Amino acid sequence: MSSRLDGSVGALVDAVQSGAASALDVATESIARIRASDSGTAGDAPLNAFVSVDDDVQSAVAASSGGSAARALAGVPIALKDNIATLRLRTTCGSRILEDHVSPFEATVVGKLRAAGATIIGKTTLDEFAMGSSTEHSAFGPARNPHDRDRVPGGSSGGSAAAVAAGICQVALGSETGGSVRQPAAFCGIVGVKPSYGRISRYGLVAFASSLDNIGVFGRAVDDAARVFDVVSGPDAEHDATSAAVEPETVQQEPGRLDGVVLGLPAEYFPDSLDPAVRDRVMRASVAARARGAEIRQVSLPHTALAVPAYYVIAPAEASANLSRYDGVRFGRRVKEASARDPLRAMYEATRSEGFGPEVTRRILLGTYVLSAGYYDAYYRRAMAVRDRIRADFASVFASGVHALLTPTTPTPAFKFGAISDPYEMYMTDVFTVTANLAELPAMSVPTGRISGLPVGAQIIAPRFAERAMFRVAYALEAELGGEAHTG
Amino acid sequence: MTGTGAVTERYELVIGLEVHVQLSTRTKLFCRCSTAFGAAPNAHTCPVCLGMPGALPVPNPEAVLLATRAALALGCEVQERSVFARKNYFYPDLPKGYQISQFELPLALRGRVTLASGASVGITRIHMEEDAGKSVHDKVPGKTAIDLNRAGVPLAEIVSEPDLRSGADAVAYLKWLRESLVFAGVSECSMEEGSLRVDANVSARLRGETAFRTRTEIKNLNSFAFAERAIALEFKRHCAMHDRGEPVVQQTMLYDQANDEVRPARSKEESHDYRYFPDPDLPPIDLTAAFIAAVRASMPESPTARRMRYTNTLGVPAPDADALTTDRALAEYFEAVVRAGADGRTAANWTLGEVQARRNEHPGAAVPVPAANLAALIALVAAGTVSNTAGKQVFATMWREGGVPKAIAERDGLIQVGDADALARWVDEVFAAHPDELARLKAGERKLVGVLVGQVMKRSGGKADPKKVNQMISERAGLG
Amino acid sequence: MAVTREDVKRVAALARIRVADDRVDALVGELEGILGHMRGLQGVELTEAQAAPAVAPLVFETIPESPPEPAPPREPQDPYFVVPRVEGLGSS
């Protein structure tokens, strides 16, 4: 059955604005598709893309001020990663410790989406507190990859990516600290956008690592993501001191040529060890860019190899402090313990040990370790120095006349559940994405073909606040690749 | 050599002070909640100061301004860049599990003050930080109740060098600090309301020793007198331990007022490891030279500088200068009187006498008598147009009803009579009425001049010029 | 610099996370496995530029305008947050 949900966001908005479609009908269908995706009727394992679904569709639509008015996202159903604060639905962060937590305030992006007429249909599955690359660390079960339900959808925003890829909705919000939007977008064959740090307000995004966290956008197509990006980006000085003061340029545009654009291929992102099939699919994008008039240039980002180690010092360090507020005192789960010489300490330890899963625990311990007396200089301070080098690498490449970089998003397509058990091996799946987080750069993943039916993503990285230029490349690649983006 | 006198002769007391003052902002450091004192528990809280998931801190510019004023008032070097950092520890009245403070890059560094005793005390640093909440132990039986109204209230922490060598100097330093900050409008500095809190680091070493010995920290001293007492007790304890050859353990102590003793706070199972790191939610604070200059220009003159000016150029006696500079409003009134033409010493007398007496009766009220009118009254008294006594009457009337002094004096018949004929008539009448006293005066009992002047004043209804009367009586009695 | 059992216990205590005795060795291995890869950072020199702010600083050029009105007080349902009894010191 063909439906408004199977077309573009632009077409849906036009239909709602002209009265040809109703926001309520579209949202109702979207929620029906969630139910179907979890029913297992097709012999599939449940998709489990959602932690919470807004079953009161009428109220969900009414909560958006512009269902039928001439608004940018009128009637567009949207899914939010469950670490973005909402008033109508709980915000669990995929954690037992926040299982029943309903936020007393909503994220800036949620207010913007509602004002633009979008309908928030539900909250999606994630790795606990966004720490993971597969959603296997969700306390409420992992989401599955719609292309192969035995495989992970990627993470940590895997539920949002799966929901879009499965056709439940055209767009969704995720968040990323080291690639948690781009990697699942690549694994699920959709578009995933990480903004420049400061471009989209973090107010209401539950913090993992504040200097690396970003809210990101998923779309089935580039234009879908662009329309949502234009709604949710912009300054928010009143609520987020790290928000950038400058109004962004509109990223939504017509696909065009790339004459005069120089795209860099950084050698470090195409190591000899890279799977030749992945290299081949990414080169497809390079060829497409050239066909549209872009110049392709080989470049080097020499400190890339230190990015994952630096990231896995800085992110856990910040996380160890950000997650101290989960102490059972004011909100969230509290585990009482009768015993104890020191009943307060016992309450803290019982609450946190039972509330956090193993990956979150590991990262809190790691972060506490690298900040603790005697280790700060060896780890945290050095990692910050590396972060500076990585920023400088990018700055020098962009200063040499390169407008954007083209790389693989991930070293491999989606892997099977349980395939990676070593934590560091799992961390290495972020090897091509953490750099943009460390350097605060905008980056996005666009589909660039398949390997044995599994999607592969190409990553575009642009200078800070050059989102419009980045989208220009993405629009051109999508138009040039056409069906090739979704075939082997 | 076991007496305490002997001990303190051999040992030297070393004190460093850490003072927290609450910056007098209307809202908290990182959210818009009120800082008002005395509200219902947790009434002044929001997602930010409760540390709710997803909430973010946004700095309050007013707090940065007041902290800058504090730094300038205390003669410190304001830093072009300062950075907020997280100080990590768990405590139920600390909502986020970390306190936002400043660590490697504080707001200000390096100040110095010379106390009246001659002691020179360095200020190491001043930084901004948020306050924690309050743990209440008597509200719920067997439990601790948490009130987070104070959580996020802006503080400046002022850390001194270990330069203080006596409890008296410590108190003098604290008084200077309080006076300077109140004067600069930075803080109320009320120990009762907790807007000034003192921790003292205390150690003892043999006189002549150059290295410091192990210190202990006495927390939450809630009056200057208790601070001095607690320091004295702790010094004694250290000296005794050194004499016995026992090691002093670095630990946190509390002063128990009820029992007048210093004892260890509940010992922590682990040593502190606060894991400070720059707060990634907050941008660096950059204070431009233009900003610092503007703040400096807006600063009132410091009490110390004022005191110097009052004594050196206005001729005010030192004790009066001290008294005037305890209170910025009083000092400014005094200066306005001087600007309106009054002599400094006399203006100080009136300000500390008549003005201050009435302000004490009406605390907080503005002085209703314009400074120019007091200056005019002082001129009338100086010219002998009204007597000093009548002048006080005129001042009382001005305070009560307003009006200018000359008109009041005329209306109320308080203009002094200096005319020789009129005075002679009253003197004749008094001599006639008191022949005995006159005879004794003539015989050399000089103190009777005053008695007879008093009688003349009485007869004149206070209008006679007492100086001239005095002179006339002395002459007529043949005393020259 | 190898991670020890004591490190794990110390860090867990600081983080208020209870680690069962039989988990300590496993965590030593996991943390060591991760931190071993981080030792490459040791070769990096610390420079002046380190920790350059990614976020635009909050610049004060003039004395700020009069501050905003405080938010109105709220009426909490349960006035206090109640926790197991704490003895001794307040924080700070």
Side-chain angles (χ1 to χ4, degrees):
Chain A
M1 181 191 103
S2 173
S3 134
R4 301 282 180 197
L5 286 173
D6 300 327
S8 70
V9 166
L12 171 58
V13 170
D14 287 347
V16 170
Q17 287 182 352
S18 70
S22 92
L24 184 61
D25 290 347
V26 177
T28 303
E29 187 185 355
S30 182
I31 286 167
R33 288 186 178 195
I34 299 175
R35 297 300 177 214
S37 75
D38 286 338
S39 66
T41 45
D44 289 332
L47 192 66
N48 197 34
F50 286 78
V51 177
S52 303
V53 178
D54 201 332
D55 287 311
D56 183 356
V57 190
Q58 203 126 23
S59 304
V61 171
S64 299
S65 53
S68 59
R71 293 183 193 265
L73 298 175
V76 176
I78 189 165
L80 307 182
K81 188 177 183 179
D82 201 22
N83 60 353
I84 297 172
T86 49
L87 294 166
R88 290 178 50 81
L89 297 169
R90 66 203 167 120
T91 301
T92 69
C93 295
S95 181
R96 292 273 170 226
I97 212 161
L98 288 178
E99 188 163 2
D100 302 313
H101 176 68
V102 178
S103 176
F105 68 100
E106 72 178 5
T108 297
V109 291
V110 175
K112 288 182 166 194
L113 287 172
R114 290 196 299 101
T119 307
I120 292 151
I121 52 167
K123 307 288 286 290
T124 62
T125 302
L126 69 159
D127 289 293
E128 185 177 6
F129 285 103
M131 297 179 191
S133 307
S134 65
T135 70
E136 287 167 294
H137 297 299
S138 161
F140 312 116
R144 292 174 179 274
N145 193 316
H147 297 279
D148 177 351
R149 294 202 183 191
D150 291 335
R151 291 178 186 267
V152 304
S156 63
S157 313
S160 285
V164 171
I168 289 167
C169 44
Q170 300 143 310
V171 285
L173 293 189
S175 75
E176 70 152 79
T177 307
S180 283
V181 167
R182 288 163 288 160
Q183 184 252 26
F187 281 11
C188 291
I190 60 172
V191 174
V193 186
K194 172 213 176 291
S196 303
Y197 187 78
R199 193 51 115 187
I200 299 179
S201 170
R202 292 189 295 120
Y203 185 66
L205 169 66
V206 179
F208 159 13
S210 313
S211 77
L212 301 157
D213 289 345
N214 300 268
I215 286 176
V217 179
F218 290 102
R220 201 164 337 143
V222 173
D223 191 66
D224 299 337
R227 286 168 188 263
V228 173
F229 188 94
D230 282 337
V231 166
V232 297
S233 57
D236 188 23
E238 199 190 331
H239 290 116
D240 177 0
T242 62
S243 145
V246 189
E247 282 291 345
E249 291 178 291
T250 309
V251 298
Q252 208 252 324
Q253 55 195 286
E254 290 299 316
R257 292 191 49 81
L258 296 175
D259 298 307
V261 172
V262 180
L263 286 184
L265 301 185
E268 294 77 7
Y269 289 68
F270 297 90
D272 292 342
S273 56
L274 185 64
D275 177 347
V278 171
R279 178 194 305 266
D280 173 75
R281 300 307 181 277
V282 177
M283 291 321 287
R284 231 183 234 186
S286 168
V287 169
R290 206 191 322 244
R292 286 257 159 174
E295 180 194 330
I296 305 295
R297 200 183 284 176
Q298 302 297 319
V299 298
S300 172
L301 297 162
H303 291 91
T304 303
L306 291 172
V308 167
Y311 175 86
Y312 278 97
V313 169
I314 296 168
E318 293 183 13
S320 71
N322 281 331
L323 272 63
S324 291
R325 69 190 60 199
Y326 307 103
D327 58 6
V329 174
R330 299 163 315 286
F331 55 81
R333 168 176 297 235
R334 178 191 291 197
V335 180
K336 286 181 187 145
E337 199 133 318
S339 76
R341 210 160 33 92
D342 185 344
L344 176 69
R345 193 182 183 102
M347 186 273 275
Y348 280 149
E349 292 190 344
T351 297
R352 291 168 61 80
S353 305
E354 290 182 30
F356 293 139
E359 181 60 23
V360 170
T361 300
R362 187 154 45 231
R363 294 204 200 184
I364 289 174
L365 296 179
L366 184 60
T368 305
Y369 180 88
V370 298
L371 288 176
S372 66
Y375 298 100
Y376 183 87
D377 285 344
Y379 291 105
Y380 185 80
R381 213 185 280 279
R382 304 240 172 220
M384 292 300 271
V386 168
R387 189 173 185 174
D388 266 354
R389 304 298 167 80
I390 286 168
R391 285 190 191 115
D393 280 358
F394 281 111
S396 100
V397 166
F398 289 133
S400 74
V402 171
H403 297 101
L405 302 168
L406 187 65
T407 81
T409 307
T410 58
T412 66
F415 47 86
K416 289 197 167 166
F417 286 103
I420 303 180
S421 56
D422 175 61
Y424 195 77
E425 195 186 338
M426 185 69 95
Y427 299 167
M428 283 304 288
T429 65
D430 299 337
V431 63
F432 300 143
T433 49
V434 294
T435 48
N437 298 78
L438 288 167
E440 296 95 9
L441 303 176
M444 64 194 286
S445 180
V446 294
T448 189
R450 298 210 175 161
I451 300 171
S452 312
L454 295 174
V456 177
Q459 174 175 234
I460 307 160
I461 305 174
R464 192 158 181 209
F465 301 130
E467 276 91 350
R468 185 172 168 82
M470 177 175 78
F471 267 92
R472 182 183 168 196
V473 174
Y475 271 101
L477 288 182
E478 183 182 58
E480 188 64 28
L481 286 168
E484 271 193 286
H486 299 286
T487 50
Chain B
M1 296 265 291
T2 51
T4 52
V7 163
T8 49
E9 268 163 39
R10 282 182 295 119
Y11 286 99
E12 179 178 54
L13 167 60
V14 177
I15 310 161
L17 295 176
E18 291 173 17
V19 178
H20 288 88
V21 297
Q22 177 181 339
L23 300 170
S24 302
T25 57
R26 300 181 66 193
T27 54
K28 292 185 180 181
L29 185 50
F30 297 114
C31 63
R32 291 270 296 276
C33 287
S34 169
T35 56
F37 182 75
N42 294 307
H44 295 320
T45 58
C46 73
V48 176
C49 57
L50 291 176
M52 299 297 281
L56 292 171
V58 176
N60 175 355
E62 195 191 4
V64 177
L65 171 64
L66 290 181
T68 307
R69 289 176 74 92
L72 293 176
L74 302 181
C76 293
E77 295 168 21
V78 178
Q79 303 299 295
E80 277 173 41
R81 167 160 293 179
S82 63
V83 169
F84 285 108
R86 295 182 180 179
K87 178 183 184 181
N88 295 285
Y89 65 94
F90 283 89
Y91 205 81
D93 63 19
L94 186 71
K96 299 183 294 297
Y98 58 85
Q99 178 191 29
I100 304 177
S101 180
Q102 295 186 308
F103 186 59
E104 284 190 352
L105 297 174
L107 183 89
L109 294 169
R110 290 180 293 274
R112 183 156 290 281
V113 60
T114 304
L115 303 175
S117 69
S120 171
V121 185
I123 295 176
T124 315
R125 55 187 273 141
I126 300 180
H127 65 251
M128 295 180 275
E129 64 185 29
E130 56 177 350
D131 205 351
K134 214 170 114 188
S135 297
V136 188
H137 303 293
D138 55 2
K139 290 286 177 197
V140 185
K143 306 270 186 189
T144 294
I146 309 295
D147 174 6
L148 296 174
N149 283 341
R150 287 199 66 86
V153 163
L155 305 176
E157 179 172 346
I158 302 145
V159 182
S160 88
E161 295 286 320
D163 285 346
L164 294 154
R165 295 290 177 270
S166 73
D169 274 353
V171 170
Y173 168 82
L174 290 170
K175 285 186 171 162
W176 166 75
L177 209 118
R178 180 174 65 183
E179 179 183 81
S180 305
L181 296 178
V182 170
F183 235 76
V186 167
S187 173
E188 308 286 326
C189 289
S190 155
M191 293 189 98
E192 295 74 38
E193 292 190 3
S195 62
L196 187 152
R197 305 198 291 261
V198 178
D199 304 334
N201 286 304
V202 175
S203 66
R205 62 180 174 186
L206 283 174
R207 290 192 183 277
E209 248 174 34
T210 48
F212 295 122
R213 296 198 185 184
T214 307
R215 64 188 158 84
T216 51
E217 182 180 25
I218 319 172
K219 281 242 181 229
N220 300 330
L221 296 163
N222 54 20
S223 81
F224 291 172
F226 288 142
E228 192 168 5
R229 177 66 186 156
I231 288 168
L233 290 171
E234 188 62 358
F235 178 45
K236 224 166 105 180
R237 190 177 72 87
H238 281 227
C239 293
M241 292 186 77
H242 292 327
D243 269 357
R244 290 197 301 268
E246 288 172 24
V248 170
V249 180
Q250 182 163 351
Q251 61 183 335
T252 303
M253 311 294 289
L254 292 174
Y255 176 61
D256 175 350
Q257 295 156 225
N259 298 309
D260 188 34
E261 63 174 18
V262 174
R263 54 183 166 74
R266 187 178 69 116
S267 67
K268 294 272 156 90
E269 289 167 34
E270 64 199 80
S271 60
H272 286 300
D273 184 349
Y274 290 124
R275 291 157 283 138
Y276 282 99
F277 73 103
D279 191 326
D281 285 329
L282 291 159
I285 303 292
D286 281 10
L287 305 181
T288 60
F291 172 77
I292 296 169
V295 177
R296 199 184 293 280
S298 75
M299 296 283 290
E301 191 181 14
S302 78
T304 313
R306 260 177 221 254
R307 204 172 292 133
M308 299 263 287
R309 188 161 54 79
Y310 291 180
T311 51
N312 294 350
T313 67
L314 298 179
V316 177
D320 286 3
D322 286 349
L324 284 170
T325 49
T326 54
D327 179 332
R328 183 164 146 200
L330 196 67
E332 277 167 6
Y333 185 79
F334 158 75
E335 291 194 29
V337 175
V338 172
R339 271 198 305 279
D343 144 72
R345 178 183 288 262
T346 319
N349 271 333
W350 279 86
T351 308
L352 292 171
E354 296 306 299
V355 176
Q356 183 64 330
R358 280 175 183 75
R359 283 179 85 231
N360 288 343
E361 287 166 23
H362 312 278
V367 177
V369 179
N373 289 358
L374 175 55
L377 175 60
I378 289 171
L380 289 180
V381 173
T385 312
V386 297
S387 69
N388 203 45
T389 317
K392 287 179 183 172
Q393 251 177 279
V394 172
F395 184 80
T397 307
M398 287 198 293
W399 187 287
R400 229 176 24 247
E401 301 164 11
V404 291
K406 187 94 184 285
I408 293 169
E410 280 167 357
R411 183 193 73 191
D412 296 350
L414 297 171
I415 301 292
Q416 277 193 139
V417 178
D419 170 64
D421 291 346
L423 293 182
R425 214 165 33 243
W426 283 320
V427 170
D428 287 343
E429 286 169 23
V430 167
F431 281 180
H434 299 279
D436 282 2
E437 284 81 354
L438 180 60
R440 278 158 58 201
L441 177 62
K442 283 180 170 168
E445 206 175 326
R446 290 190 82 112
K447 69 176 184 200
L448 287 169
V449 172
V451 174
L452 293 169
V453 170
Q455 289 300 318
V456 172
M457 292 308 291
K458 202 168 169 187
R459 204 162 280 264
S460 73
K463 284 189 257 180
D465 180 337
K467 243 196 234 156
K468 288 184 175 165
V469 172
N470 190 312
Q471 204 179 356
M472 188 176 280
I473 288 173
S474 301
E475 278 171 14
R476 297 263 302 266
L479 301 170
Chain C
M1 288 265 284
V3 180
T4 63
R5 287 178 58 90
E6 285 59 45
D7 285 334
V8 168
K9 287 182 177 171
R10 173 180 60 86
V11 163
L14 278 172
R16 299 292 186 275
I17 287 177
R18 186 173 297 155
V19 176
D21 264 354
D22 58 358
R23 268 291 286 157
V24 173
D25 284 329
L27 273 167
V28 167
E30 288 170 26
L31 293 190
E32 180 56 30
I34 298 164
L35 287 164
H37 293 280
M38 315 271 158
R39 307 240 160 87
L41 299 174
Q42 309 312 321
V44 178
E45 266 180 58
L46 295 178
T47 55
E48 281 292 309
Q50 60 111 2
V55 176
L58 202 57
V59 181
F60 286 72
E61 301 199 52
T62 55
I63 291 182
E65 299 288 306
S66 52
E69 286 292 311
R74 60 185 197 107
E75 282 176 34
Q77 289 160 334
D78 303 311
Y80 289 104
F81 300 106
V82 178
V83 297
R85 189 164 182 85
V86 191
E87 303 293 340
L89 265 187
S91 61
S92 95

